[in-house]
Amino acid sequence: MDFIYFDNSATSFPKAPGLGKAMGEHIDNNGFNICRGSYEKSYQLQGTIIETKERMCSIFGFDLPQNVIFCSGATFGLNLIIKGILKPGDHIITSSMEHNSVARPVTAMKNKGIIWDVAECRKDGSLDPSAIEALICKNTKLVLLTHASNVSGNMMPIDEISVICKKHGVFFALDAAQTAGSEIIHMNNNNIDALVLPGHKGLLGPQGIGAVLLSARFASELDTIIEGGTGSLSDNFEMPSFMPDKFETGTLNLPGIIGLAHSLEYIENLGINEINFKKRNLTEKFISGILDIPHVSLSGIKSMDMRCSVISLNFKNIDNSNAAYLLEKDHGIITRCGLHCSPMSHKTLGTYPLGTVRFSIGLFNTEKEVDNAISAINEIVKKHQ
Ligand SMILES: Cc1ncc(COP(=O)(O)O)c(C=O)c1O
């Protein structure tokens, strides 16, 4: 590769080895539909889809494969949860580090009569669980949190918060867009009612596929947000109430699911702990390499505790957008610059409206690439003193 890719928070690259081949083989040899045809090949494919849901359950500590809903990605999953569960008068609590895929649907629902409170995070992006508990009131229906910030990389204290939610009988939903595939997430042990997973980031799958895992209680209270054919109870205009048909309507992205099945197998074989170890070491190396560079600051949490492999920098003597441009032009280093679809986070971190240059480390980055990035940052800073 003649470039160094540090934009894995947007989408991972490269993908799981062999992903394109697995998807191509499916499309060329097996591109049937499921839940519609009563022929052998359709049943076989349906079996593969169910096995993929079982694999999801084994990776994410869940025991209801029928409550794994495939969808187009995290944005769709978050919309389903927010719009399907909240009714006028209901109260939702989020943190002040959420992505627009939470902030925008919640705002749309606010315009329809729901109440939204934001638990303010500290200036480094971290959240005190008591800030959530203090906001819970009698009409609180849902606490929805990002597991890790896509701007600063800090992780939310979900163990404590899920216990608080359980104590108050409030649903707890987790946006695992930045952690799925590299942090251990246990749906049952963490009392998670709804877990949102994009397939194309840390899970190393293709774009356009993701999943939502729903607890039995949450799934039964959740309303549909789209309706249509399921291949079941076809003589009825009402949506089936059983899972997964209640929420999986229309033809699924089967090539995407086959791709995800391939990448999940790869991840399971490697082990999440191993992946976490590798990304954590690279992140630590990166952070310790830039902390002493003058005129560059790390946004948010400095310590390695409670953080993932997302690193946001603020250049003082040069525009962040110019720094990102020079990183690519002179050093072949690809980053992302700006607000990263999360203005709330930048307001919390004090980097609004200019944003940051984000380096997001992936499984396939190397120590040499991290060294190259540190020297490139040094060089850009020196040239602009
Ligand atoms: C924290 C967070 N939530 C949700 C999303 C939305 O994910 P997608 O664009 O895959 O739907 C992102 C995307 O970057 C994200 O970082």
Side-chain angles (χ1 to χ4, degrees), residues 9-11 72-78 97-102 146-151 175-178 196-201 208-209 336 340-342 358:
S9 282
T11 197
S72 62
T75 300
F76 184 91
L78 289 162
M97 295 293 284
E98 302 303 318
H99 190 270
N100 273 346
S101 53
V102 168
T146 186
H147 192 192
S149 160
N150 69 311
V151 175
D175 169 3
Q178 295 300 333
V196 177
L197 308 165
H200 70 109
K201 298 184 194 266
I209 189 69
R336 180 169 168 193
H340 320 298
C341 296
S342 186
R358 183 180 73 183

Side-chain angles (χ1 to χ4, degrees), residues 14-15 35 63 79-80 83 97 135 145 164 194 234 286 300 304 326 332 352:
K15 302 294 182 187
C35 303
D63 51 4
N79 269 268
L80 170 64
K83 295 178 176 167
M97 295 293 284
L135 290 170
L145 292 180
I164 291 172
S234 295
F286 195 115
M304 282 305 297
L326 293 175
Y352 185 84

